[in-house]
Amino acid sequence: MNCRDATDFLTDYLAGDLPPGVAADFEAHLEECANCVALLDQFKACIAATRLAYTGPCAPADCDIPEELVRAIMRVLARVC
């Protein structure tokens, strides 16, 4: 797997939607590629910040971030990164 492939699989990996063999290849690539690890960490931070915006102390008490919104954000990030 190369970095381009890893980028294509990033959102599905974080969502837990990769088949086991592809996930294993992705994780093997991460062990060798600091740039892809950094990108993965950035995606995770973005998701955490988005969730915090909806669940933090200033967020409406009854507002949960929809999983569809998280996935949509991840798809957009995958296109621009």
Side-chain angles (χ1 to χ4, degrees):
M1 177 173 297
N2 60 38
C3 294
R4 178 63 127 201
D5 295 335
T7 301
D8 291 342
F9 293 126
L10 187 62
T11 55
D12 289 336
Y13 176 77
L14 288 174
D17 292 338
L18 284 182
V22 177
D25 289 344
F26 180 85
E27 290 166 351
H29 177 78
L30 291 177
E31 290 177 14
E32 303 292 324
C33 184
N35 288 332
C36 286
V37 170
L39 182 60
L40 178 64
D41 290 343
Q42 290 171 354
F43 269 54
K44 288 178 180 178
C46 181
I47 292 167
T50 302
R51 284 197 168 118
L52 181 61
Y54 280 91
T55 61
C58 298
D62 61 350
C63 183
D64 288 324
I65 184 167
E67 195 61 35
E68 299 84 26
L69 177 58
V70 172
R71 288 179 190 229
I73 291 169
M74 304 245 325
R75 283 192 300 272
V76 169
L77 287 172
R79 282 186 235 132
V80 298
C81 292

